[in-house]
Structure formats: structure tokens, C-alpha cells
Amino acid sequence: MLDGPFISLFFGVAALSCLIVYSAGYDFQGRFLDHLRNLLLAFVIMWAVAYVSPTQLQRVAVPLFVLGVLLLLAVAVAGDTSKGARRWLNIGITRIQPSELMKIAMPLMLAWLVHRYEGLKNIRQWLIALLLLLIPTAFILAQPDLGTAMLVFAAGLFVLFFAGLSWRLVFVVLGAAVIGIIGLIIFGDAVCADGVAWPGLREYQRQRVCTLIDPMRDPLGKGFHIIQSVIAVGSGGLFGKGWMQGTQTHLEFIPERTTDFIFAAYSEEFGLLGNILLLALYAGLILRGLWIAIGAPTLFSRLLAGAISLTIFNYAFVNMGMVTGILPVVGVPLPWMSYGGTAMVTLGFGAGILLSIARTRSQTVQGFVLQRQ
């Protein structure tokens, strides 16, 4: 039997996504039907993966990771370029984006590594794990695709965190981030001035951070979309303007209103109460995933379930953060809400892994009960 609470929460998010994609995508012919097809595909993949045992997933961890790295290498050498980014690989019948594969392959690989060593016990093992984490991330950053690189890196980092990554290191990184944000706020005018280059970041990435600090710096240009998005979220009020009644949405002020910025369209039409409902559904999915992780019978399963649960949190937090203007725009979809097939399938695969581990947990508990009797 599949995990009933998790499936129920999944269908709750899917139902809300159908309502808002129908409304926000009303002017896009066929988009709603495409969204239904993507949701159905995600569910089928989730259901199929749920019946693959964690032991079988463990066996494919290394081949899948190696395949992902080879495909990323192929993209770097002979990938298709579009809008200045080289992210796709043409395989004849279609184009694929190998970085999406790494969102699942990375936590699988690191969970396998930690399980094999029975925990990371010395500097050599930690360095191997760090190398496995950094190589694919560097390939994806070079494409450039900052949003996907962040998600892949975070998915791997979650595994290392559950494997015993020192809290001191976590606090050092968080402290450095807080100091950096405060510095940007204080010296924003100087560091965002024309002609000032930021090491390690491209010009458009610098502009996104500067726009986050002060969208009014260029309200009709770079800041226009985020300003309109924040207006849409705030204008929903407590109850929202009503389904199909969003003026910011239907007058096309919201950018990418069916994909990355769908939360702005949803907030405008369903208001604060609708947001609380959606947040409760996501919180339920994440907490249920962590509950599955706590009861998982093996170290591999525990690490994997924990990392995937926090990856769902990461998707939702980053997306809502960028739509509401507290994080830079990095092109991260809202799980099972945003229109788009690739992320839907990837997250469906991840949810299937959680359900697979939940099935094993159930069998283990039943076996324990029978043994006790």
C-alpha cells in the first residue's frame, strides 16, 4: 500500500495547481491540457518508482550519477545554446537537460557513498563526498544555470548534513551569508554601480541581486517584473480577488505567470487564506517525508528520504522567496504547481522514492510486530 497521507497531500497541491493554471494560462491555448498531462505523467512515474525497492535504487545510484556527469560533459562540449545558455543536449528525437537528472542522481550517489562507508569517518571520505558534490555543480554553473546548480548542490548538502556535517560549519556559512546580506544593504549603491564587476558572477546575475536590494532602482526595466509580482501578492488581501478575477494576472503584468511566478497569480486570486492552505499542504508533504525518513530501515534510505524532503522545501522556499521579493530571481518552479514537464517529472520521481521507502518502512514495522507476537 502506498502512503495515504502523502498521496492525499500530493493530490491537494495538484488540485490547486489545476485551478490556477487554468486561470493564469487562459490565454495560452492548450496549456491547461498540457498541465494535466504533465501531472498525470508525474503521478505515473511516482507510482512506478514507489514499487521499486530501495535496494534496487541503491544499485542504480552509481551508474545514474556517472551517466549524469557524462551527459553534463557532453553538454559542455557539444550542447545546444539558447538565449546565451548551453543547457540542452540534442539526442535526435528530442532535446534533454541533463542537469535535471542530477537533482535525483546527486542525493542517490551521496547516500550510497555514506551507506557504503557506514558514515563519513575521516577527512579522505569527506573530501571524496565534497568532490562528488562540486564536480556536477561546477558543470551546471558553467552553463550557466544558477538556479539548478543551487538545487543540485543543496540536495547533496542535505545528505552530508544528515550524515553528520558539523553544525559549526553550517553556522559559519550562515553567518557569512548574513554578513554578506548586511554588507549589500549598507553598500548597495557602491557595489551595484555601473562598471563594478562581482567575482564569480555574470553581469545578469549581479543585476538580479541588485534588483532584489532595490527594485525601484530601475522600476520600468529590470525591477518591473518583481515589483508587479509583489503588487499581485499584496493585492490579493485576505480572501483574494476570486478565481479568474486576478487583474495583475489577466492584464499580463505578472511575468511567467504560469511557470516560475505562478505563486503571484495564485496569491492574487486566492489571497492570504489560500496561501495558508497551500503552505499547509507543502508543510504536510515535507513533514510526512521527514517522518518516513525517521522510520526508514537503512542508513541509505534515511539519508535519501531526508534529502528529498528538504529538497521539496528548498524548491517551495526559493520560489516563494523570489516571487515575494526576499530572494533573487533564479528560475526555480513551485513544486507540482508551476507549468512545465521536466521539473514535474523530476519531483514525481523524488516523491516516488519517498513512497518506496515508506512501503519498506511499513513492511519492516509489520515484520517487527509479527516477530514480537
Side-chain angles (χ1 to χ4, degrees), residues 219-367:
L220 298 178
K222 298 179 181 65
F224 181 79
H225 286 165
I226 191 63
I227 291 171
Q228 297 302 324
S229 171
V230 172
I231 289 173
V233 172
S235 66
L238 182 60
F239 299 105
K241 295 176 180 173
W243 186 50
M244 302 284 291
Q245 302 300 316
T247 51
Q248 293 290 112
T249 301
H250 291 282
L251 293 177
E252 301 183 7
F253 283 103
I254 301 176
E256 307 295 340
R257 59 187 184 277
T258 60
T259 53
D260 293 347
F261 281 78
I262 196 164
F263 183 65
Y266 175 83
S267 299
E268 185 184 23
E269 297 194 355
F270 293 94
L272 179 61
L273 293 180
N275 286 344
I276 291 173
L277 173 62
L278 183 60
L279 287 172
L281 290 171
Y282 280 131
L285 283 167
I286 294 160
L287 291 175
R288 190 67 185 177
L290 292 175
W291 181 85
I292 292 168
I294 290 171
T298 67
L299 177 61
F300 172 79
S301 298
R302 282 196 294 277
L303 293 174
L304 193 56
I308 290 174
S309 301
L310 291 188
T311 297
I312 296 172
F313 164 80
N314 205 29
Y315 266 90
F317 176 74
V318 173
N319 179 277
M320 292 180 183
M322 73 179 192
V323 170
T324 52
I326 62 172
L327 291 175
V329 176
V330 289
V332 172
L334 191 59
W336 301 299
M337 287 285 283
S338 295
Y339 170 83
T342 307
M344 195 80 80
V345 168
T346 304
L347 287 164
F349 197 100
I353 291 176
L354 280 176
L355 292 174
S356 164
I357 294 170
R359 269 195 338 110
T360 309
R361 178 188 188 282
S362 174
Q363 289 166 2
T364 304
V365 172
Q366 286 173 14

Side-chain angles (χ1 to χ4, degrees), residues 95-210:
R95 293 198 314 168
I96 61 171
Q97 191 172 347
S99 56
E100 290 294 327
L101 178 65
M102 293 309 299
K103 290 177 182 173
I104 295 298
M106 177 64 81
L108 268 174
M109 179 67 209
L110 289 180
W112 175 88
L113 184 78
V114 176
H115 181 85
R116 178 182 172 82
Y117 288 146
E118 298 180 346
L120 300 177
K121 299 170 183 171
N122 54 52
I123 295 294
R124 176 178 161 275
Q125 292 170 354
W126 277 103
L127 286 177
I128 292 173
L130 194 61
L131 202 62
L132 293 173
L133 178 61
L134 291 179
I135 289 175
T137 304
F139 273 122
I140 299 168
L141 272 176
Q143 291 180 352
D145 189 349
L146 181 60
T148 303
M150 283 173 52
L151 291 174
V152 170
F153 184 81
L157 202 60
F158 292 144
V159 175
L160 299 184
F161 175 72
F162 286 122
L165 187 66
S166 169
W167 276 104
R168 291 180 183 175
L169 186 59
V170 174
F171 284 130
V172 167
V173 173
L174 290 177
V178 170
I179 292 171
I181 292 170
I182 293 173
L184 280 174
I185 293 172
I186 295 174
F187 303 106
D189 289 338
V191 297
C192 292
D194 291 340
V196 177
W198 291 10
L201 287 183
R202 296 173 184 253
E203 176 58 20
Y204 79 91
Q205 292 167 338
R206 185 183 78 98
Q207 292 291 348
R208 286 181 178 181
V209 177
C210 292

